[in-house]
Amino acid sequence: MKSVSLFLLAAVLLCSCSKNNNDDAGTSGQTDFSVYLTDDPGEYDKVNLDVQSVEVHYSDDAGDAWHNIKMVSPGVHDLLKFTNGRDTLLAREKIASKKITQIRLILGENNTVVVDGVTYPLQTPSAQESGLKLNVDATLTPGVEYAIWTDFDASKSIVVTGNNQYILKPVIRVYTKAASGSVNGVVLPPEADPWVYVLSGADTIASAMPDAITGEFLIHGLAAGSYNVAIDGNNNFSDTVYNNVQVSIGNVTETGTTILHK
């Protein structure tokens, strides 16, 4: 399951239902717009991404244009700190309430991956100049807050070449929590070093590495529907699959506590 081929998942974004009580925002045609960074795990010590700016692409009768969102936390972020439902706020600003079609992350030069304690440059072809572009489709409404999560899959986003070079080919899901559901559970014992995968047919939609102490995992950003949740045990521990796990918008589906055995 860990050798799933690379692909880019783009989500159609629906509006969140968090109402902004600021009347000025509604009357002035502005929307509180936020972009967060989160991550599916990868088998590295660190995956450091240098995010310098975030832009949103407008498309309306006046034409197409890119707009820079005010950065809250620019700089180098270790993606592996933002697994199991954790995230960090990249950018937030009141912006014009228009139709948006894309966001893009502009990267700096300090992108690295750490493997067995050794730091390697992480090559990002064209990303510094043109940015990592992600398709969205949302019409912003005055007075309604929009929050977007960019969910990197670290295990699929890094390609290792024959001469030991590491190249970033990002596999990213984009979602809003108001337009998605979640899966939560606990996998024990920690010695099983388990991984959790959410599957739709033969496709891996998302994955998580349970907490090393509590065994808890949390996977956000799932469209409503039926999934299989596969728990992959290591160190000679067994595997388990939960079939037909139902996910609904705005809710967390619990798989309970799973005990893996040798």
Side-chain angles (χ1 to χ4, degrees):
M1 268 179 289
K2 293 177 183 175
S3 60
V4 181
S5 61
L6 293 176
F7 60 94
L8 180 65
L9 293 176
V12 175
L13 298 180
L14 304 177
C15 68
S16 76
C17 299
S18 173
K19 185 69 175 176
N20 187 335
N21 292 323
N22 186 344
D23 291 337
D24 290 338
T27 56
S28 63
Q30 289 189 316
T31 295
D32 283 315
F33 188 81
S34 304
V35 178
Y36 291 82
L37 178 67
T38 187
D39 179 51
D40 284 358
E43 293 183 321
Y44 304 98
D45 298 340
K46 294 182 178 181
V47 178
N48 297 313
L49 207 62
D50 184 6
V51 184
Q52 289 300 312
S53 64
V54 177
E55 299 179 351
V56 62
H57 186 258
Y58 289 124
S59 180
D60 58 19
D61 294 339
D64 297 339
W66 286 98
H67 174 74
N68 281 300
I69 307 298
K70 183 178 180 180
M71 292 295 291
V72 174
S73 54
V76 177
H77 298 274
D78 178 8
L79 296 180
L80 300 188
K81 291 183 177 180
F82 308 126
T83 61
N84 263 329
R86 294 184 289 268
D87 56 39
T88 188
L89 177 62
L90 288 178
R92 172 179 287 162
E93 186 182 358
K94 288 184 184 294
I95 65 174
S97 301
K98 299 181 179 181
K99 179 180 175 60
I100 61 173
T101 59
Q102 286 183 319
I103 61 172
R104 65 182 176 188
L105 309 181
I106 308 297
L107 303 184
E109 298 179 352
N110 297 316
N111 304 290
T112 59
V113 58
V114 181
V115 182
D116 296 330
V118 179
T119 300
Y120 299 91
L122 184 57
Q123 307 297 326
T124 55
S126 78
Q128 288 92 341
E129 297 179 5
S130 62
L132 302 177
K133 295 180 181 179
L134 307 172
N135 292 327
V136 300
D137 184 9
T139 300
L140 306 184
T141 302
V144 177
E145 181 178 354
Y146 288 79
I148 292 177
W149 277 259
T150 58
D151 185 1
F152 278 78
D153 189 328
S155 65
K156 300 175 188 174
S157 294
I158 298 175
V159 177
V160 186
T161 66
N163 55 358
N164 213 30
Q165 286 189 327
Y166 291 82
I167 300 174
L168 180 68
K169 292 189 176 180
V171 176
I172 308 172
R173 293 186 304 137
V174 182
Y175 64 86
T176 65
K177 288 184 179 177
S180 61
S182 306
V183 171
N184 175 246
V186 175
V187 184
L188 297 172
E191 306 88 76
D193 191 21
W195 283 60
V196 180
Y197 300 89
V198 176
L199 307 174
S200 178
D203 294 332
T204 299
I205 304 303
S207 62
M209 183 184 296
D211 185 270
I213 298 175
T214 66
E216 186 174 8
F217 69 89
L218 176 62
I219 299 176
H220 287 307
L222 302 174
S226 178
Y227 299 91
N228 294 335
V229 177
I231 300 174
D232 185 5
N234 293 290
N235 302 326
N236 296 318
F237 281 84
S238 59
D239 300 336
T240 297
V241 178
Y242 293 96
N243 295 312
N244 301 317
V245 176
Q246 301 299 314
V247 173
S248 57
I249 300 301
N251 296 312
V252 178
T253 300
E254 300 279 349
T255 60
T257 298
T258 302
I259 306 296
L260 302 181
H261 301 279
K262 285 192 175 182

